[in-house]
Structures are given as structure tokens and as C-alpha cells.
Amino acid sequence: MSPSIRSGAELACDVLQQLGVAHVFGLPGTQNVSIYEALRRSTLRTVVATHELSATMMANGYYRSSGRLAALVTIPGPGFTWALTGLAEASLDSAALLHLVGEPPRAPGTCFQLQAIDQPAIARPLVKAVHRIGRFDEIGPVLAAAHAQALAGEPGPVLVQIARVALEARAVAPSFPTAAADTPVTDAVALEPVIRAVAAARRCVILAGQGCHGAADLLVRLAERLSAAVVTTTSGRGAVAEDHPMSLGFELAGTGAGTLNALIATSDLVLAIGCKFSHNGSRGFGLHLQADKLIHIDAAPEVLHQRLHGGRGGEGLPEAQGEDRAGFLKDLGGHPLVRRKGRRAVRAPRRPKLAGHGRRVIAYSQPARRLPPRCPFTGPALSISLPAAPAGAARDLVKVPVP
């Protein structure tokens, strides 16, 4: 069989497919017609938005809901600048995406080219990395490197600027080995103190952030094994179903910190997994977390050691840094000490009653088809009324024990 002759745009589509990309969001324009023609003939699903900001937000939401990276394709200049807000959102949301943008025209001895702005300099503060493809033979290696960077550690956006000459060139498609994804290995040394702390805890709260979405089933299994109350950040919503018996539901956690702080005060261990305690994730920095009861697990080293306003000091519990939250949760939940703890706990029966910590502490009135959020701790209770519910809906009365 004779070697295949491909255009640079067709090769870019082939490489994206080899890397596991299935969706491309963006808008066609004069400068990227070649890549959209190649997309039209490929098996990649192309989603054309009304403008580049919408396309970037779509790629962001696609990653957050599926855990899969999508490509964003825009023209240079105005298409690029329209996408900047979405890139910033993806960076703050830890959402991986690959932004493929045309390079503004350049020619020796000419100035003031059409839409010629310094795109890398503008984007650099908002993205994990900036790459440039200037030749046909750079397409495969550069896209593979950019894809790996977007997903490594804390996920985020990566910008790839592609010269028009590279997209329109035609040559024999080179073969390049796609590097096998490294399988992260949980650090047994880092895990051991976490296991000891979890096994000794009697009243555990799990704060789940967006980083838990790739291991939602393991998170639920761990919460059930520990009989731990689960609260999610805004970006973490959906990691645990809000009608699950161990979930406190977002209407309880919400944007205020008072109820959550009362719950944390009665706990003896807080597992913060995949959350960076940003403004929204910490209820406006209102969470009061004590160092001596917090275990923080995250992929980004800079996220660890974060101390919130109002937290009390003390000898801190371990912080675990690692890219593989799924492996960490699997190893933690499967450890004999934690499994033994789970066997001692009574599973929640079919009726809406949470077992494992004695009597119920939630008084509720909700439709029978939905299990209410509940708190598994016992003790004197502080009654907290939630905001008024919409007309026709029941109003909850949540009782959180106080020391």
C-alpha cells in the first residue's frame, strides 16, 4: 500500500482522533477553512457555536461532565479574543481543553498585518502552556505534547497556535508513537497516615470537589463505608447524587458557611478531595477548617497547604498530592483497616433512615419519592431553617449537632 498523502489539517484531525479526542467546538472562518473541511470529512463530531465564547464554555462543560478533553478551534485575532473569558474559566475550573488557533499572518518586511496581535503573550497567564506549529512535521508531536500537558496534574487549557502554511501543506503522513499514558501509583508512604486517621475517625465529613468526578463511584463507596456525610463544592456537584443517603445536598451546603461550619465543628475528621478551597468552593472563604482534623488530597501541589480564614492551627494531618484520585480512593477504601470499619457500620436500609451513628438527627418533610439529605452525627442539635422553598414545595428543617 502506497504511503498516504495528507494535508496538515487532515493530519491534525487524525492525530486528535489517535489521542482520544471525539468532539471539537468552535467557529469556522476565512483563516481556518482548511481545518473545518478536514473536520467535515473526519469522524470527529464538530459542534459549531454562535460565537467563540460559547464554544469555549461548551468545551469546558463537556470536560466537566464527561472527563474527556475536547478541542476548541477558532480563527486568530477576534476569534481568539472572544475565547479568552472561556479560557480563564477553564483555568480556574481546572478543566482541560486544547485550543487550536490560527497564527496571525507574518511576512518579512511587512508591518501591521491583519489581526496581528501577540496571542501567546495574551494567553500565557490563562493557560498551562503555549505551543506553536510552524511546519507539517511538527503537527503530530506538538499536539501530542499539548494534549498530555492539558491533562497532567491539575487539568487546564493549553493553547496551540498553528501557522496556515502547516495546515495547507501536503505530504506523506508521518507515523508517531502516541506515548502510553502513565499509570499513577499511589504513594504508600503518603497513604499510611491517611489510613490511620480515617480508621480512627468516628465522625467523618467528606468535602468533594470537581477532582472527584473521575472517581465518583469510588467516592460513594468510601462514604458509605465510613458513614461519612458528603458535601460538594459548586464545581463538585454531581460527584455524589444529591438524593443519596450520605449526601447533605447542595441546598444545605449552598453558599452559606454557617451550617457547614457547625457540622465540621462536630466532626473529628474532614477529608477534602479534589477541591482547592477557592472563593466559591469555600463559601466565600467562610469555612472554618482546623489543621488537626483536615486531610487534603489534590493533584496540584500549589493547592495544598491552603489555610482558610478562621481555621485554627495545630499539628496538621497529612496532605496527599497525586494525579490519580481514583487510585487513591480505591487504595484508601480497600485497605483492610477501612474495610473492617465499613463492616462494623450498618448499611442504610431501604427506608429513609441513616444507620451507623444511632438515632436520626434530621427532621424532614419532603416528597416520599426523594430521600432527604441527612447528617449521620448524634448529639445535641442546633436547628437551622433553610431559605423558603418555592410555592408548593416542602420546607426542610435540618438539625446539626453541636459540641
Side-chain angles (χ1 to χ4, degrees):
M1 182 181 295
S2 60
S4 174
I5 303 294
R6 309 287 281 170
S7 70
E10 291 170 333
L11 178 60
C13 293
D14 295 342
V15 172
L16 290 176
Q17 289 175 270
Q18 290 182 49
L19 293 171
V21 175
H23 288 74
V24 175
F25 300 88
L27 259 76
T30 305
Q31 299 96 323
N32 62 12
V33 168
S34 60
I35 196 165
Y36 270 93
E37 279 297 300
L39 284 169
R40 186 173 60 83
R41 295 188 294 269
S42 76
T43 59
L44 292 164
R45 182 176 180 184
T46 305
V47 181
V48 176
T50 53
H51 52 72
E52 288 82 0
L53 175 57
S54 294
T56 315
M57 293 298 189
M58 289 177 184
N60 181 334
Y62 174 81
Y63 174 79
R64 291 174 59 182
S65 61
S66 70
R68 300 183 63 181
L69 177 148
L72 169 71
V73 177
T74 71
I75 63 169
F80 163 78
T81 56
W82 261 105
L84 286 175
T85 300
L87 290 179
E89 181 72 16
S91 178
L92 295 175
D93 275 351
S94 304
L97 66 87
L98 200 57
H99 184 184
L100 309 183
V101 60
E103 182 178 66
R106 55 170 69 181
T110 58
C111 300
F112 311 115
Q113 288 278 359
L114 177 67
Q115 301 169 350
I117 59 176
D118 192 347
Q119 295 178 159
I122 296 170
R124 197 164 278 116
L126 306 178
V127 298
K128 294 181 69 176
V130 175
H131 295 271
R132 178 180 182 270
I133 296 176
R135 302 192 314 270
F136 180 91
D137 60 352
E138 294 176 338
I139 292 175
V142 172
L143 287 182
H147 181 272
Q149 281 182 303
L151 294 170
E154 182 181 1
V158 171
L159 180 76
V160 180
Q161 186 170 266
I162 311 178
R164 191 166 182 172
V165 63
L167 290 175
E168 296 178 352
R170 298 188 65 83
V172 175
S175 60
F176 71 98
T178 53
D182 294 334
T183 302
V185 178
T186 303
D187 185 349
V189 175
L191 184 61
E192 190 58 37
V194 176
I195 290 170
R196 289 198 302 268
V198 169
R202 294 174 59 87
R203 299 180 302 279
C204 180
V205 173
I206 295 176
L207 298 181
Q210 183 178 314
C212 291
H213 279 299
D217 55 340
L218 295 171
L219 176 67
V220 171
R221 197 181 311 166
L222 178 65
E224 291 174 346
R225 185 158 287 164
L226 300 177
S227 289
V230 180
V231 181
T232 65
T233 65
T234 307
S235 297
R237 292 191 73 179
V240 175
E242 292 179 9
D243 60 357
H244 188 281
M246 308 312 300
S247 172
L248 293 181
F250 192 75
E251 60 270 15
L252 170 63
T255 56
T259 303
L260 187 51
N261 282 332
L263 174 67
I264 290 172
T266 68
S267 71
D268 53 10
L269 182 68
V270 178
L271 274 174
I273 308 172
C275 56
K276 63 173 69 173
F277 295 124
S278 63
H279 177 275
N280 288 350
S282 62
R283 279 56 173 179
F285 301 113
L287 287 187
H288 293 190
L289 291 169
Q290 297 171 229
D292 57 359
K293 66 167 63 175
L294 173 66
I295 294 177
H296 197 179
I297 302 166
D298 202 272
E302 60 271 19
V303 169
L304 302 177
H305 312 296
Q306 172 78 346
R307 289 290 176 262
L308 299 180
H309 173 72
R312 297 206 301 270
E315 184 179 354
L317 287 174
E319 294 172 323
Q321 186 264 328
E323 296 182 17
D324 186 21
R325 267 89 67 199
F328 199 98
L329 287 171
K330 184 176 181 180
D331 290 346
L332 176 59
H335 193 278
L337 286 176
V338 179
R339 290 177 64 87
R340 195 176 306 126
K341 182 182 181 71
R343 284 196 295 270
R344 290 198 301 268
V346 182
R347 294 287 185 269
R350 292 180 183 175
R351 293 181 301 165
K353 175 182 177 182
L354 185 68
H357 287 288
R359 66 181 178 83
R360 290 282 306 281
V361 296
I362 292 293
Y364 66 92
S365 57
Q366 288 194 351
R369 62 183 174 81
R370 179 174 175 227
L371 292 176
R374 38 177 81 66
C375 165
F377 304 162
T378 60
L382 167 68
S383 296
I384 300 173
S385 297
L386 297 181
R395 181 189 178 104
D396 295 343
L397 176 66
V398 181
K399 293 185 178 180
V400 177
V402 295

